[in-house]
Amino acid sequence: MKKIQNYVTGQWLEGKGEGVPMFDSVTGEVVALSDTEGLDFAEILHYGRTVGGQILRNMTFQERGNMLKSLALYLVKRKEAFYELSYRTGATRVDSWIDIEGGFGNLFANASLRKLFPNQSYHVEGEPIDLSRGGRFMAHHIMVPKRGVAIHINAFNFPVWGMLEKCATNWMAGVPAVVKPATNGSFLTEAVVREVIASGILPEGALQLITGSARTILDTVESQDVVTFTGSATTGQLLKSHKRIIEESVPFNMEADSLNASVLGEDAIPGTPEFDLFIKEVRNEMTVKCGQKCTAIRRVIVPENLVEDVQIALGMALDKVTIGDPRLKEVRMGALISKDQAAEVRDRVQELAKTASIVYGDLDKIETIGADAKKGAFLSPILLREDHPFKNLAVHETEAFGPVSTIMPYKNLEEAILLAQMGKGSLVSSIATYNDKIAKDYVINAASHHGRILVINREMAKESTGHGSPLPNLVHGGPGRAGGGEEMGGVRGIKHYLQRTAIQGTPTTLTEITGIYQANAKYKEAEQHPFKYHWEDIQPGMSLKTHKRTLTDTDIINFSNLTWDHFYAHTDTTSLDGSIFEKRTAHGYLIIAAAAGLFVYPNKGPVAANYGLEDCRFLRPLYHNDTIYVRLTCKQKADRDVASAEHPSGIVKWFVEIFDATDELVAVATVLTMVQKKQETFVEMTDEKIEEYLSKLTPDMKPNWGIMTPQHMLEHLEYTYKIASGEIQDFEVATPEKILEKVHASLYNYEKFPRNSKFPSLEKDKLFDLKYPDLETAKAKFNEQREKYVVYFKEHPDAKLKNLVFGELNKYESYLLERKHLNHHFEQFGLL
């Protein structure tokens, strides 16, 4: 029988033991063997800290985020193979989608968080703190990657999502991971890791996989490591109390199964949308993944006068749930992960049934489609009813981790809240109500016992992700029984793998450390106007002092008339008594506008646009005839993604200090500008450059890729110039409409055309017939046609012409295409 392998210390290894069988949940067949015998866990952890950790720590947040995005795109293209394996865990297509593509979604979501971090390898948190009256001694907080590994001990229910939702956060933080999935289902985790490693996108050591037992893995953890656990509360508590965890003060994040509650609001009576949504939500949470979700609804809390209605409605909804082979489209619920798990669920139901009644389902009887119920780990949905939930506590203490929920009554909202709290802490709760006062009362009073609360009503139903769906930008965790930890949560989740450190020093020193200009730091006088620099060349602290301007009475009156801002301080000097103003006062936004007039560079350059204004403060009034000047200083830089038709750019935050004639600071603001990045990928194709490259081109040159000869290349370029000059326009754009905008926008980026790109009118792997007798003739025809292209746009500067690939192009876009296209083919023949 085949063994699945472990990926550790840079290699795929089999264990040296006999192995533990993993079973197909549907057929009962052995899928593979899991074996970790002989693995050196101390060596594995050390390898991650030293090899993977060093590379990840040195990457910027932007580099890590783009790495995650690339990995997600890579995995999405290979998802179907994972679905085939997922069926063997008993998961339906929908179940598998949550696990597989939900996992990839975590990579995408965390990748986008790079925009919220500085363009460096560590984070600067919060605002600066002035520790002295003179402003020469201050403090800030930075957060740097921990120098350990993230050890993820995962549950069986989500072999893919469970790994990627955690790894996405530690990789974004710059910390490598060692993943230990539950043995059942680890064959699916292994398949995903194989693709991750094969992609080459992650640095070596960033991910290691242990596919079976790892009982001694915590014996060598260190203080810089982070351990996360998902599973039963009993196992989690045992691991959390490990001697080494305590001795080394290792952060331990536990996310345990919890008795999550959903409440039906008193207003949500039968016939209301909220009642129907509630029934649908409970049914889904009982049957999706066969109820094997740590966020599933275990306790169904309903008004006592609606118990019968809910019981009947749920029974009718569950009657529609077909059970069987998860590969079949008509099947809505598959199998549990294993027969052992199914047996454990039966035991827990029997414990609950000592006081509660089973009102739907049968532990010993089940009808299946396309599968043998005796061979697979199948179980009927089980709905219980506990009429005395304040007296019989098993329903608040015993969890059946399967398709099992219990209905219980409440008299008033206060009782509903108390019942929800009796679960002693859960990952999630929900309430179905269209009454916002009920919603508020429940949320505020129940929040202490839940990590997340969903309010269900008719307005959010179509867009809701549901009671049981943790989201990467929200905290996932809960107090008490739920483990007391938290995962994900956007930026918050990433910070779990960063060490927060307070730093103290002068503003100048802290500017250098943080990469963010701190007020009162020394200025770095710019050699030229800062707006002349490209994004890469601008550095925090780079500064410009402007000339001066006097604000006149006329300026203030004109600004009032222009903006319609006729506030009395600007327009009625007879009303100043008892106010903070002494004379006619300049508008705050006039001051900002006047400051911009002083520091803005008028000529076209790398600064593409004003991007916004932040933290604007007016420290004292300015009156007519007051004189001001501005100190413009680069405060911070932030990278940005560009997907539209614009050149690559980043954001520069400028600290604007406005002083009066006595050098007193009177106003401050942070102005954001969009600044273009330098184009260093392509050679600008001037007449001289083209002549230089063509002079090097000889008939015997071989391409670096593709099958073209030099003459084929020139005749192809001549043909594209005929399109660009309008001679050939009788064609349809080949690029599908749904992606044309994206393809068109790619002209503006600084990325080369992929090698072996296929031109629509050319047959793949086949050369077209040559038109001209020799290369020299082809060169002459190329130059002649290019001249026609140049002349055309001189005579028609506003023209727009079709292109086969990129759609309609104006003069500038045609130039961008020409630059990319010539660079592509000249590089193809080694001319550049």
Side-chain angles (χ1 to χ4, degrees):
M1 177 56 64
K2 173 190 173 184
K3 286 184 180 180
I4 60 171
Q5 294 182 310
N6 308 278
Y7 186 74
V8 293
T9 62
Q11 55 193 324
W12 286 100
L13 294 177
E14 280 188 8
K16 298 178 180 179
E18 296 182 1
V20 175
M22 294 174 288
F23 299 96
D24 187 309
S25 300
V26 179
T27 66
E29 299 171 343
V30 177
V31 177
L33 300 177
S34 167
D35 185 12
T36 58
E37 189 172 323
L39 296 187
D40 187 333
F41 296 123
E43 181 185 5
I44 291 168
L45 299 187
H46 177 72
Y47 183 82
R49 296 181 194 115
T50 54
V51 177
Q54 184 63 43
I55 299 171
L56 284 170
R57 287 193 297 271
N58 290 337
M59 295 171 70
T60 66
F61 281 102
Q62 277 64 41
E63 290 170 335
R64 296 175 201 146
N66 285 322
M67 174 184 75
L68 263 61
K69 183 178 179 181
S70 297
L71 181 59
L73 291 169
Y74 179 89
L75 291 174
V76 165
K77 294 177 181 177
R78 292 155 178 82
K79 65 183 181 182
E80 288 305 322
F82 306 141
Y83 276 99
E84 287 304 312
L85 283 175
S86 184
Y87 291 136
R88 308 196 75 174
T89 70
T92 65
R93 181 80 186 191
V94 171
D95 298 339
S96 300
W97 178 84
I98 295 169
D99 183 31
I100 296 168
E101 297 189 54
F104 302 162
N106 268 273
L107 294 176
F108 281 120
N110 278 275
S112 67
L113 295 177
R114 66 191 182 278
K115 305 167 191 174
L116 303 180
F117 287 95
N119 191 40
Q120 51 197 23
S121 61
Y122 53 94
H123 180 50
V124 182
E125 185 183 49
E127 296 299 320
I129 302 165
D130 187 3
L131 300 176
S132 65
R133 292 183 179 179
R136 297 300 173 188
F137 182 52
M138 63 167 297
H140 217 144
H141 289 88
I142 63 171
M143 301 189 75
V144 300
K146 289 180 178 289
R147 291 179 172 258
V149 291
I151 303 161
H152 300 312
I153 303 170
N154 294 337
F156 63 77
N157 50 344
F158 289 102
V160 182
W161 182 88
M163 170 177 66
L164 295 181
E165 63 102 359
K166 293 178 180 177
C167 286
T169 53
N170 63 252
W171 288 332
M172 270 302 292
V175 175
V178 176
V179 176
K180 191 271 173 230
T183 301
N184 289 329
S186 60
F187 55 85
L188 174 55
T189 312
E190 187 226 27
V192 175
V193 171
R194 280 195 178 276
E195 287 293 351
V196 171
I197 300 304
S199 74
I201 293 170
L202 295 182
E204 177 51 49
L207 174 61
Q208 297 182 84
L209 175 69
I210 299 168
T211 57
S213 176
R215 295 185 183 279
T216 61
I217 194 169
L218 299 185
D219 291 354
T220 55
V221 293
E222 297 178 356
S223 60
Q224 288 288 305
D225 298 330
V226 177
V227 178
T228 72
F229 169 82
T230 300
S232 73
T234 303
T235 304
Q237 290 160 10
L238 182 66
L239 295 177
K240 193 173 184 179
S241 61
H242 191 286
K243 181 182 178 183
R244 187 75 175 177
I245 295 288
I246 297 170
E247 287 177 346
E248 291 282 315
S249 297
V250 178
F252 188 102
N253 188 85
M254 186 166 102
E255 187 255 276
D257 306 333
S258 59
L259 291 158
N260 311 294
S262 187
V263 177
L264 181 66
E266 293 175 280
D267 63 308
I269 60 175
T272 64
E274 286 68 34
F275 182 89
D276 296 338
L277 290 168
F278 179 78
I279 297 300
K280 180 181 178 181
E281 201 71 39
V282 175
R283 190 267 320 268
N284 287 346
E285 291 304 314
M286 287 181 67
T287 57
V288 170
K289 290 289 288 187
C290 289
Q292 297 170 115
K293 294 168 60 181
C294 53
T295 53
I297 296 171
R298 304 298 177 198
R299 298 177 298 147
V300 184
I301 303 173
V302 303
E304 60 182 4
N305 63 316
L306 298 179
V307 168
E308 291 293 336
D309 295 289
V310 169
Q311 180 179 318
I312 293 169
L314 267 177
M316 293 173 64
L318 292 170
D319 280 341
K320 298 176 183 178
V321 176
T322 49
I323 304 169
D325 186 342
R327 294 173 179 82
L328 301 177
K329 291 183 179 179
E330 61 268 32
V331 168
R332 293 293 175 264
M333 190 173 96
L336 278 73
I337 189 67
S338 67
K339 285 190 171 183
D340 288 343
Q341 180 62 24
E344 183 174 328
V345 173
R346 288 189 181 93
D347 289 343
R348 296 293 179 269
V349 171
Q350 288 169 353
E351 289 180 31
L352 292 169
K354 290 177 182 179
T355 59
S357 303
I358 296 178
V359 295
Y360 184 92
D362 192 322
L363 289 175
D364 302 315
K365 182 180 178 182
I366 184 171
E367 293 182 5
T368 54
I369 300 174
D372 189 333
K374 294 180 180 179
K375 292 182 178 179
F378 294 101
L379 190 67
S380 164
I382 301 293
L383 182 64
L384 299 100
R385 173 170 164 174
E386 175 56 78
D387 290 329
H388 305 287
F390 289 102
K391 175 184 175 183
N392 301 322
L393 302 183
V395 72
H396 306 298
E397 298 172 353
T398 301
E399 179 178 25
F401 198 71
V404 181
S405 291
T406 303
I407 300 173
M408 62 193 74
Y410 73 86
K411 289 184 173 64
N412 51 48
L413 187 60
E414 185 178 349
E415 277 198 0
I417 293 167
L418 183 57
L419 287 171
Q421 293 172 345
M422 288 175 71
K424 298 180 180 179
S426 76
L427 298 171
V428 57
S429 179
S430 57
I431 181 168
T433 178
Y434 199 49
N435 184 313
D436 287 338
K437 184 179 185 307
I438 291 175
K440 179 180 178 180
D441 287 348
Y442 180 77
V443 169
I444 298 303
N445 290 289
S448 59
H449 285 63
H450 302 95
R452 175 169 58 90
I453 298 179
L454 169 69
V455 180
I456 302 166
N457 67 32
R458 66 196 72 178
E459 293 180 10
M460 50 75 79
K462 290 184 179 180
E463 299 178 2
S464 172
T465 51
H467 168 104
S469 298
L471 298 175
N473 51 349
L474 300 181
V475 165
H476 177 49
R481 181 191 170 100
E486 56 181 38
E487 299 168 359
M488 304 192 295
V491 170
R492 186 184 183 94
I494 295 168
K495 289 181 178 181
H496 289 315
Y497 301 93
L498 301 172
Q499 174 60 47
R500 181 181 290 104
T501 303
I503 54 173
Q504 298 169 276
T506 67
T508 302
T509 301
L510 266 59
T511 293
E512 196 67 28
I513 293 173
T514 62
I516 301 174
Y517 176 77
Q518 310 290 344
N520 296 315
K522 294 177 181 176
Y523 303 115
K524 300 175 183 177
E525 297 293 344
E527 294 182 4
Q528 57 182 349
H529 195 289
F531 283 14
K532 289 184 177 182
Y533 291 97
H534 284 87
W535 187 79
E536 295 89 342
D537 296 328
I538 299 172
Q539 300 302 324
M542 179 182 285
S543 186
L544 168 75
K545 181 179 178 180
T546 71
H547 54 281
K548 297 180 179 180
R549 171 180 175 172
T550 299
L551 301 175
T552 66
D553 224 27
T554 303
D555 291 333
I556 298 172
I557 294 170
N558 286 342
F559 194 81
S560 291
N561 292 331
L562 178 66
T563 62
W564 293 7
D565 177 356
H566 298 294
F567 185 65
Y568 77 92
H570 315 310
T571 58
D572 183 6
T573 57
T574 65
S575 299
L576 299 180
D577 291 347
S579 73
I580 63 171
F581 307 108
E582 298 173 4
K583 295 184 286 184
R584 188 186 304 280
T585 307
H587 305 67
Y589 295 113
L590 168 58
I591 298 169
I592 295 297
L598 290 171
F599 68 69
V600 167
Y601 184 70
N603 297 348
K604 184 177 181 180
V607 174
N610 185 336
Y611 198 69
L613 183 68
E614 296 177 345
D615 304 325
C616 184
R617 296 289 183 274
F618 304 109
L619 307 180
R620 77 158 180 83
L622 280 173
Y623 303 116
H624 66 92
N625 295 328
D626 278 351
T627 298
I628 62 169
Y629 70 90
V630 177
R631 171 64 75 168
L632 179 74
T633 307
C634 172
K635 179 178 181 179
Q636 188 178 5
K637 295 165 58 180
D639 212 341
R640 68 185 289 263
D641 293 333
V642 175
S644 56
E646 59 178 281
H647 289 302
S649 63
I651 302 302
V652 178
K653 294 185 176 184
W654 301 96
F655 185 49
V656 177
E657 298 170 283
I658 303 171
F659 298 90
D660 66 11
T662 66
D663 297 326
E664 181 184 351
L665 186 64
V666 295
V668 295
T670 299
V671 173
L672 284 65
T673 58
M674 190 187 301
V675 182
Q676 286 184 7
K677 296 180 180 179
K678 288 191 287 188
Q679 193 289 107
E680 297 178 315
T681 304
F682 305 113
V683 175
E684 296 297 336
M685 287 297 163
T686 61
D687 293 343
E688 294 74 21
K689 281 293 182 183
I690 293 173
E691 183 179 354
E692 174 190 340
Y693 295 136
L694 290 184
S695 67
K696 298 177 184 179
L697 190 66
T698 60
D700 57 346
M701 281 184 167
K702 303 297 181 185
N704 293 319
W705 66 85
I707 60 173
M708 279 187 174
T709 67
Q711 187 170 338
H712 280 94
M713 182 264 287
L714 282 183
E715 291 194 17
H716 163 64
L717 290 175
E718 181 206 9
Y719 176 77
T720 59
Y721 273 124
K722 286 184 176 181
I723 294 174
S725 59
E727 289 186 27
I728 299 176
Q729 286 286 289
D730 56 341
F731 57 81
E732 296 295 326
V733 177
T735 303
E737 185 67 30
K738 64 181 180 180
I739 62 169
L740 181 59
E741 184 178 355
K742 182 177 180 180
V743 172
H744 181 272
S746 71
L747 288 173
Y748 287 80
N749 67 35
Y750 300 155
E751 298 172 13
K752 298 178 180 180
F753 287 155
R755 295 187 174 192
N756 296 307
S757 299
K758 182 184 177 301
F759 188 68
S761 66
L762 298 179
E763 291 188 49
K764 187 177 181 181
D765 301 325
K766 183 179 179 181
L767 290 171
F768 57 84
D769 294 334
L770 294 172
K771 293 194 301 181
Y772 304 119
D774 52 45
L775 180 64
E776 291 306 312
T777 305
K779 286 182 181 180
K781 293 293 185 180
F782 165 88
N783 285 324
E784 180 182 320
Q785 194 60 48
R786 182 175 183 273
E787 180 61 26
K788 290 181 179 179
Y789 154 74
V790 173
V791 169
Y792 176 84
F793 275 109
K794 280 184 179 178
E795 295 176 351
H796 307 88
D798 298 324
K800 291 184 178 181
L801 297 172
K802 283 190 302 182
N803 178 271
L804 269 167
V805 177
F806 299 97
E808 197 172 66
L809 304 182
N810 59 27
K811 178 182 179 181
Y812 182 68
E813 291 163 343
S814 295
Y815 148 74
L816 294 176
L817 174 57
E818 179 195 31
R819 184 174 70 183
K820 278 198 174 193
H821 200 193
L822 293 187
N823 271 263
H824 175 76
H825 286 296
F826 288 175
E827 184 181 351
Q828 182 184 17
F829 284 90
L831 302 176
L832 299 184

